[in-house]
Amino acid sequence: MKRYIHIKKADREFILNLFKVSGRMVDYALRFDGERGNTELAHKIRKVAMEHGGIIMTVIPEQETFYDADGYMRQYLPNGVLLEFEKEVGNGGCDVYHKGEVVRHYDNVKVSDIPAIQNWAATLR
């Protein structure tokens, strides 16, 4: 999963002047570049960035979820899969739709079951 440190422009300028490095080096450090962002200098840059209000951001696929729509929670995955969870207590099931067809049904789904269902559904192509 990709991640980076978000900082303000003024903080970026501060880091450039503090370490006397190029903007590219700051980018390598803040974007956790696998090759050039793994140096001692990159670690120092990230430490200063975090001390100056930097925020670690994670890049993930966007997923849209609708809650409380006629007694269902619906989640649309990036691969075109629809998860439709019944919210009725004691009966709450889930249908997994792929290309408009139900490909799997789960009975009595608990909140703790949802990540496993999402992970399985995300593998459908």
Side-chain angles (χ1 to χ4, degrees), residues 28-73:
Y28 292 146
L30 297 181
R31 297 201 178 278
F32 298 91
D33 183 85
E35 189 177 321
R36 296 177 187 98
N38 243 351
T39 64
E40 186 177 330
L41 175 59
H43 289 280
K44 289 178 182 178
I45 290 170
R46 286 194 288 272
K47 184 176 185 308
V48 170
M50 294 301 292
E51 289 170 353
H52 283 83
I55 302 168
I56 295 181
M57 306 293 284
T58 304
V59 180
I60 60 171
E62 181 178 326
Q63 296 184 33
E64 188 170 18
T65 304
F66 295 105
Y67 295 95
D68 201 22
D70 63 351
Y72 289 89
M73 178 185 80

Side-chain angles (χ1 to χ4, degrees), residues 21-116:
V21 294
S22 68
R24 184 167 276 174
M25 181 60 213
V26 174
D27 284 341
Y28 292 146
L30 297 181
R31 297 201 178 278
F32 298 91
D33 183 85
E35 189 177 321
R36 296 177 187 98
N38 243 351
T39 64
E40 186 177 330
L41 175 59
H43 289 280
K44 289 178 182 178
I45 290 170
R46 286 194 288 272
K47 184 176 185 308
V48 170
M50 294 301 292
E51 289 170 353
H52 283 83
I55 302 168
I56 295 181
M57 306 293 284
T58 304
V59 180
I60 60 171
E62 181 178 326
Q63 296 184 33
E64 188 170 18
T65 304
F66 295 105
Y67 295 95
D68 201 22
D70 63 351
Y72 289 89
M73 178 185 80
R74 292 181 179 89
Q75 186 172 43
Y76 298 88
L77 303 182
N79 62 346
V81 171
L82 165 63
L83 301 177
E84 189 173 69
F85 296 91
E86 295 176 65
K87 292 177 31 178
E88 187 177 317
V89 176
N91 252 1
C94 173
D95 288 319
V96 179
Y97 291 86
H98 184 244
K99 298 182 180 175
E101 305 276 330
V102 175
V103 294
R104 188 171 278 185
H105 175 80
Y106 296 88
D107 287 316
N108 301 315
V109 175
K110 299 177 189 144
V111 173
S112 61
D113 299 329
I114 293 175

